Amino acid sequence: MLSDRLPTEGIRKKFNITKKSSGQKVVALAGNPNTGKSTIFNALTGLRQHTGNWPGKTVIQTRGTFSYGGSSYILVDLPGTYSLLASSADEQAARDFLCFAQPDATVAVADATCLERNLNLVLQVMEITSRVVVCVNLIDEARRKKISIDLEELSAQLGVPVVATAARSGLGIAELKERIHQVAFGKLTTNPRRLVYDPEIEEAVSCLEHSLKALIPPGVNSRWLSLRILEGDRTVLDAMREYSSKISYGREPAVETGHCPAGSRA
Amino acid sequence: MKQDTALPDRVLDPAGDGIIRDRVVRTIYSHAEYIAARTVKPADTRRVDWDGKIDDILTSRWLGFPVMMALLGAVIWLTVAGANVPSELIASALFRVQDWLAGLFVRAGLPSWAEGFFVHGVYRTLAWVVSVMLPPMAIFFPLFTLLEDLGYLPRVAFNLDNFFKRAGAHGKQSLTMSMGFGCNAAGVIACRIIESPRERIIAILTNVFVPCNGRFPTLITLSSVFMGGMAATAYGVAAAAAAVAGMVLAGLWVTLVTSRVLSKTLLRGMPSSFTLELPPYRKPQVGRILVRSIMDRTVFVLGRAVTVAAPAGGIVWLLANIRVGEMSVIGLLAGTLEPFGRALGLDGHILTAFILGLPANEIVLPILIMSYLSTGSMASLDSLEALRVLLVEDHGWTWITALCTMLFSLLHFPCATTLLTIRQETKSLKWTLTAALIPLAAACLVCFTVAQAARALGLC
């Protein structure tokens, strides 16, 4: 009853996500292109899939459902992107969903054969949401190439659970489901690695964040939004208008700087 | 105090110098580097990096292009060589059914127009579409999906990137063109991967220059008859395949020229850059390729062709058999278009077939044949030889007629499905019309030039 009135449900509806029951969890699937993301998606959902468009964008949205441990999950396949910083339609769709629809868990898929490149996106995902499971896919290919990955250390460094998978053969999918379950139901608390920027940026972010909090729905990551505003990303302001009822349409959100100590600068 | 008011301006300035983003990105990358250094033990560097070595060849300055041409040639050669025999087998089987059906109609005492409409109109067109389209598609699609699965397509994009950039278009356009081989409507939808609206429109407007599945069989059939001497010998098959490959290259060339003209006139602007990742080569999953290419592509495209061909066959039969005075409706149409057709190296019937074939390119050749048959003497057509006799001996085709028909097929306006898709994707009537008119103009221009040059040189 109560959960239906949470504002997040309203925002999720704007992303074409409607729960069948209040207990159903929403899981996002993020990752670089060519990491076998859709193979993971297929392995998790089987044939229970629907395709549509991301609202207002000519980007394909694929959704599916799966059950695990007696609960049901809606899995949303985000567009494959290399970052969440620039502003192509794909990247906007992915980051708006992560930021405003607040999925109960997010699977960040990384290619084991070029992990470093993929970690950039994983870190950006973790910066928006803490409920992350990292899926190191194509582990069989990495092993064949004699690349070895210390999964325990990776999990310790990132502060979130890490699962190695070879989605083509189904390896690791059961464990991935278990981890999604644990994170989505809060049975496993993550402690994501925090990216700390230059003192100047940090100072500007903290004062922006202060005035931003009143303007955004509860739970939405104000630190991440502040960083994007600081970078001068206008598309993020559009997204705030779209998904926050507290900002009326057509008005620039007023970002006050009264809280900032004199002398601070970007 | 001055600094306090300075902050919001700076903060909300999208034209800012990007210093903050640079710093943010640098921090993220340094974290990724730090973590990777502690968790990844890279492969033994003495091991041979096969992917890198293969890429050095496939994307090299000198070998990249020849290898690409060789692969294209090989795929088309296999398609032409393999499609011939099954095509004739299917055709003779289906036309035997036609005779049986006609007998059934007669025995049931149905009027002769019913037999004409259903058997000679609907059924014969269906039989043609299936026998001409199915074998090449069943060979081409699995081969194409194999290249896709191996990871070759991004290499094609890499090789062609420079050409597209110089034409003022987006490098990803080569990927949307690849999709166009299956179906131009699918290619137009694939243009969504291009973010810049300007370059996306260019890619949409030029996608039709890739011969889709509806036109591939037309190109293959005509090259087999005219360039390959019925593709009866190995040399003939090679010549026919070379002609089809030449058509694909001509399409690519027209795409580049049109893109360049568009980006200098209607869609002025600079090409945007993008990151193209060359994914590792992967072992193809043969079973999945077969299922995917046969089920998703072959059956889908054939199903669409059949649904359009059945009613279109009936309608064209009516047009060919309803008489106004001495002439059939189709004959009248063809007569009116005759001078235009001649100027383009075609004739009135061919032009009529292209216009009536607007719903789907698959039915252009069946319409043409039916329209010829309504004025000619032959009753059925079940082999390439019969087609040759109909075209050359009854209707005076030369190889220039065939070449112009192939060029017109390659370049003319997109089919109705593609136009509707363009309307949906651009949400603009103006661009939809442009998408029909540019190819039409290109087709007329090229065919006119070829026909007049051939005449001037006394080649026909």
Side-chain angles (χ1 to χ4, degrees):
Chain A
M1 280 294 282
L2 198 73
S3 67
D4 280 343
R5 274 186 234 128
L6 279 175
T8 322
E9 293 310 303
I11 297 177
R12 282 175 175 173
K13 281 206 178 91
K14 288 193 174 186
F15 288 98
N16 299 339
I17 308 297
T18 322
K19 289 187 181 183
K20 293 247 162 40
S21 66
S22 58
Q24 206 173 24
K25 295 290 181 187
V26 175
V27 180
L29 188 63
N32 286 26
N34 300 310
T35 51
K37 196 160 70 70
S38 28
T39 323
I40 297 269
F41 186 84
N42 291 336
L44 285 172
T45 63
L47 293 171
R48 293 175 299 274
Q49 301 183 4
H50 299 279
T51 47
N53 265 15
W54 285 95
K57 297 194 169 69
T58 50
V59 177
I60 301 226
Q61 182 195 51
T62 316
R63 282 161 285 149
T65 55
F66 68 95
S67 301
Y68 179 81
S71 337
S72 166
Y73 301 83
I74 302 180
L75 186 64
V76 183
D77 193 11
L78 304 178
T81 57
Y82 296 100
S83 91
L84 297 171
L85 296 174
S87 32
S88 76
D90 279 353
E91 284 165 331
Q92 279 173 37
R95 59 149 213 226
D96 287 355
F97 188 82
L98 289 176
C99 182
F100 294 101
Q102 300 182 47
D104 301 300
T106 300
V107 179
V109 184
D111 180 346
T113 62
C114 45
L115 192 64
E116 184 179 332
R117 195 181 345 161
N118 282 243
L119 280 177
N120 292 314
L121 183 74
V122 171
L123 289 167
Q124 289 174 44
V125 169
M126 287 178 11
E127 213 179 7
I128 304 181
T129 166
S130 61
R131 286 167 295 193
V132 173
V133 178
V134 171
C135 165
V136 178
N137 194 29
L138 302 169
I139 195 76
D140 48 346
E141 215 167 282
R143 281 186 191 137
R144 217 177 312 121
K145 290 189 173 174
K146 305 273 192 295
I147 301 170
S148 65
I149 295 170
D150 185 342
L151 297 165
E152 257 173 59
E153 178 64 17
L154 184 61
S155 176
Q157 288 288 345
L158 292 173
V160 300
V162 172
V163 183
T165 58
R168 287 225 223 186
S169 59
L171 180 86
I173 297 298
E175 194 196 339
L176 181 61
K177 283 185 180 170
E178 172 61 26
R179 292 301 191 185
I180 293 172
H181 176 81
Q182 290 173 345
V183 169
F185 282 91
K187 289 179 183 164
L188 193 156
T189 322
T190 57
N191 180 24
R193 185 186 188 89
R194 201 176 151 83
L195 303 180
V196 181
Y197 300 97
D198 311 357
E200 277 180 328
I201 295 182
E202 286 297 335
E203 200 180 333
V205 163
S206 68
C207 72
L208 259 176
E209 207 182 337
H210 196 92
S211 39
L212 206 61
K213 272 192 174 136
L215 296 169
I216 54 177
V220 168
N221 188 332
S222 57
R223 173 182 164 83
W224 182 81
L225 280 175
S226 305
L227 272 163
R228 298 292 84 76
I229 292 174
L230 197 65
E231 284 178 1
D233 185 341
R234 267 178 193 274
T235 58
V236 132
L237 300 181
D238 295 336
M240 281 171 60
R241 260 192 226 110
E242 176 73 32
Y243 302 114
S244 168
S245 51
K246 291 176 187 152
I247 302 168
S248 61
Y249 220 84
R251 233 184 71 205
E252 287 277 289
V255 181
E256 293 164 29
T257 51
H259 309 284
C260 299
S264 74
R265 49 166 123 190
Chain B
M1 285 314 284
K2 225 176 179 183
Q3 282 152 336
D4 267 1
T5 48
L7 185 59
D9 277 23
R10 177 64 192 283
V11 157
L12 292 173
D13 180 14
D17 41 20
I19 286 179
I20 296 178
R21 174 160 296 181
D22 281 355
R23 288 197 202 168
V24 166
V25 170
R26 216 176 303 139
T27 305
I28 296 173
Y29 274 56
S30 69
H31 277 263
E33 202 183 319
Y34 176 90
I35 298 171
R38 267 152 198 78
T39 53
V40 181
K41 209 172 113 232
D44 190 344
T45 40
R46 278 170 303 176
R47 246 175 74 93
V48 184
D49 174 16
W50 283 110
D51 275 14
K53 286 228 186 294
I54 298 172
D55 270 341
D56 284 346
I57 297 169
L58 290 185
T59 60
S60 84
R61 199 167 210 182
W62 306 112
L63 284 173
F65 226 78
V67 170
M68 213 163 69
M69 291 301 104
L71 277 172
L72 174 74
V75 167
I76 292 175
W77 179 80
L78 283 170
T79 309
V80 173
N84 220 341
V85 174
S87 259
E88 300 223 348
L89 285 178
I90 295 176
S92 64
L94 289 176
F95 283 109
R96 262 201 302 281
V97 175
Q98 180 185 321
D99 295 339
W100 173 80
L101 266 180
L104 207 68
F105 269 76
V106 173
R107 257 175 287 143
L110 290 165
S112 67
W113 65 262
E115 187 205 329
F117 182 83
F118 288 106
V119 179
H120 292 128
V122 176
Y123 181 82
R124 190 160 61 186
T125 310
L126 277 181
W128 241 94
V129 167
V130 171
S131 64
V132 170
M133 282 187 69
L134 184 58
M137 275 181 356
I139 298 170
F140 181 80
F141 276 143
L143 288 176
F144 192 78
T145 316
L146 179 73
L147 287 180
E148 207 179 333
D149 220 49
L150 279 167
Y152 184 62
L153 291 192
R155 275 81 191 176
V156 172
F158 184 89
N159 286 337
L160 292 177
D161 180 46
N162 208 9
F163 288 88
F164 282 103
K165 201 160 267 172
R166 263 186 283 162
H170 199 284
K172 279 190 200 165
Q173 199 170 320
S174 45
L175 294 176
T176 64
M177 283 175 67
S178 304
M179 293 303 294
F181 271 115
C183 166
N184 291 132
V188 166
I189 293 177
C191 293
R192 289 174 177 184
I193 62 171
I194 299 174
E195 292 97 17
S196 141
R198 183 188 77 87
E199 286 140 51
R200 188 161 156 252
I201 298 275
I202 293 184
I204 289 176
L205 294 182
T206 53
N207 193 270
V208 70
F209 296 134
V210 184
C212 67
N213 247 281
R215 292 176 288 160
F216 229 68
T218 308
L219 297 180
I220 290 178
T221 309
L222 291 181
S223 347
S224 299
V225 171
F226 286 89
M227 285 70 181
M230 316 309 295
T233 60
Y235 170 78
V237 169
V244 176
M247 283 295 141
V248 175
L249 288 185
L252 176 62
W253 184 77
V254 175
T255 301
L256 290 171
V257 171
T258 313
S259 301
R260 187 168 172 79
V261 171
L262 281 173
S263 64
K264 294 271 171 228
T265 54
L266 282 179
L267 292 156
R268 226 178 281 253
M270 292 296 288
S272 54
S273 58
F274 71 107
T275 324
L276 178 71
E277 191 184 21
L278 297 181
Y281 293 99
R282 298 207 169 116
K283 205 171 78 194
Q285 296 170 297
V286 177
R288 203 167 291 174
I289 287 179
L290 283 175
V291 171
R292 229 167 64 209
S293 56
I294 302 284
M295 294 311 292
D296 294 1
R297 295 186 162 165
T298 311
V299 171
F300 172 78
V301 173
L302 192 70
R304 196 179 77 87
V306 163
T307 30
V308 182
I315 291 168
V316 173
W317 184 86
L318 287 178
L319 291 178
N321 286 277
I322 293 173
R323 290 185 181 267
V324 183
E326 285 293 289
M327 294 277 273
S328 66
V329 176
I330 221 168
L332 274 174
L333 267 172
T336 319
L337 292 171
E338 185 71 20
F340 298 107
R342 287 282 162 212
L344 301 177
L346 314 169
D347 66 24
H349 287 276
I350 303 173
L351 222 46
T352 311
F354 276 118
I355 292 167
L356 294 178
L358 178 70
N361 283 302
E362 292 85 348
I363 59 174
V364 168
L365 209 51
I367 291 177
L368 177 63
I369 290 163
M370 206 180 304
S371 140
Y372 275 160
L373 287 179
S374 73
T375 56
S377 53
M378 239 176 4
S380 77
L381 197 78
D382 54 1
S383 68
L384 279 184
E385 174 57 25
L387 181 65
R388 193 193 66 80
V389 171
L390 176 74
L391 297 181
V392 176
E393 284 167 26
D394 293 3
H395 291 276
W397 277 43
T398 63
W399 70 274
I400 291 292
T401 324
L403 179 64
C404 287
T405 309
M406 286 166 73
L407 284 170
F408 201 85
S409 169
L410 175 74
L411 302 174
H412 79 299
F413 46 82
C415 71
T417 312
T418 305
L419 285 173
L420 285 177
T421 310
I422 294 175
R423 171 86 227 250
Q424 249 168 36
E425 293 292 306
T426 60
K427 301 203 167 42
S428 141
L429 195 61
K430 184 189 106 187
W431 288 124
T432 313
L433 284 175
T434 318
L437 292 175
I438 289 179
L440 183 62
C444 291
L445 190 71
V446 170
C447 288
F448 181 79
T449 314
V450 169
Q452 299 310 319
R455 252 163 239 169
L457 294 172
L459 290 175
C460 64

